[in-house]
Amino acid sequence: MNSMNTVITIGRQFGSAGREIGEKVAEYFGIQCLDKELLSRAAKESGFCEEMMANHDEMPTSSFLYNLVMDTYSFGYNASSFVDMPISHKVFLAQFDTIKKIADEGPCIIVGRCADYALSDRKNCVNLFIYADEETKVKRIMEKYDLTEAKAKEMCAKKDKQRQSYYNYYSTKKWGRADSYDLCINSGVLGIDGTVNLIIQYVEDFERKNL
Amino acid sequence: MNSMNTVITIGRQFGSAGREIGEKVAEYFGIQCLDKELLSRAAKESGFCEEMMANHDEMPTSSFLYNLVMDTYSFGYNASSFVDMPISHKVFLAQFDTIKKIADEGPCIIVGRCADYALSDRKNCVNLFIYADEETKVKRIMEKYDLTEAKAKEMCAKKDKQRQSYYNYYSTKKWGRADSYDLCINSGVLGIDGTVNLIIQYVEDFERKNL
């Protein structure tokens, strides 16, 4: 276990082992890695029921007309407009707040949920994007969920589309563009353990530089 | 000097020190780094004059109508159509061929010019993309070319637009998208030397894995 002080956010393509990589890096540094666990905490803190939050988790907001109207106002946490906000926005804000609270508590790894955007004002934050070739991702998802190749392909495409819509809607950056992040890694090149080692190296270099 | 067997390609945003980083990595491994030098060799091998090649180097092709026609045919090196090709296409093909020849000769680093696309059939190739925050790039270009902030900003935007058009036109991938490359690094985070070290680490891990 090493003493560290950095929050790591991980954006990821579905099937690229982003979560597993995050967990292994977290284990090395002796810190927590939050993925879906974020939802439980956000639900608890916001008062929303966990099931409802899960339904809106990383899903593009479906209220098109509402979005048109909302886009004419700057998007912000405004108590008087909170009541009128669609559920998807409230879920996003609840997670946004929880992410900031978690980062305040100390070093951790947060997977997905525009965490990089939520923490964009922090200097001790490193934003990663993990992806892989289609063949690698489809194979992984076929095995994990016991699907045919066609179904796995479809699931990967659908999940990434949802994540992209979510990220592009709520953040000021573009999902999957290299310059939205600090470091982007094709996890299929070095494999999961190789990618974990590279990230550990990167974070340790980052900390040394920012001491 | 270490014995290595990998070809490294570097796509880069203007002002992110891609070339300097490439040169330092090349120095560590004792291999050559080709950037504009590629032009001289491609000119020599193709018979085109170097000045003409430089004018078309990494520039988007300007013949819109010709492109419309060409897009209906699959793009390939076809001797009978070579004569009718616009100069920009011929320059691209000359560089494309030279890149393949250089990679055949042994490990090296090639900066820009869709080198990753030219070498997409090679297993011993690692494709990097280097970028930086706008503030970092503009500052670097202001100093390097003695420009005002406004002029430097303009130059960065213009150069990147040219590179993007060139890459998107000739390759099958999208410039600046994380998954067009194996590893993408914001060179401003660890600085030039930190980025060089990370790349060296990555390449050494890559070689160990693929022995």
Side-chain angles (χ1 to χ4, degrees), chain A residues 36-55:
Chain A
K36 292 190 180 58
E37 299 83 356
L38 197 58
L39 295 180
S40 309
R41 179 150 166 188
K44 214 172 295 181
E45 289 177 357
S46 63
F48 292 129
C49 90
E50 205 171 320
E51 196 191 331
M52 188 276 294
M53 292 207 69
N55 288 341

Side-chain angles (χ1 to χ4, degrees), chain A residues 179 182, chain B residues 13 131-138 186 188:
Chain A
D179 60 12
D182 297 319
Chain B
Q13 287 182 349
Y131 52 98
D133 296 337
E134 197 185 30
E135 195 183 315
T136 305
K137 293 182 294 185
V138 168
N186 179 330

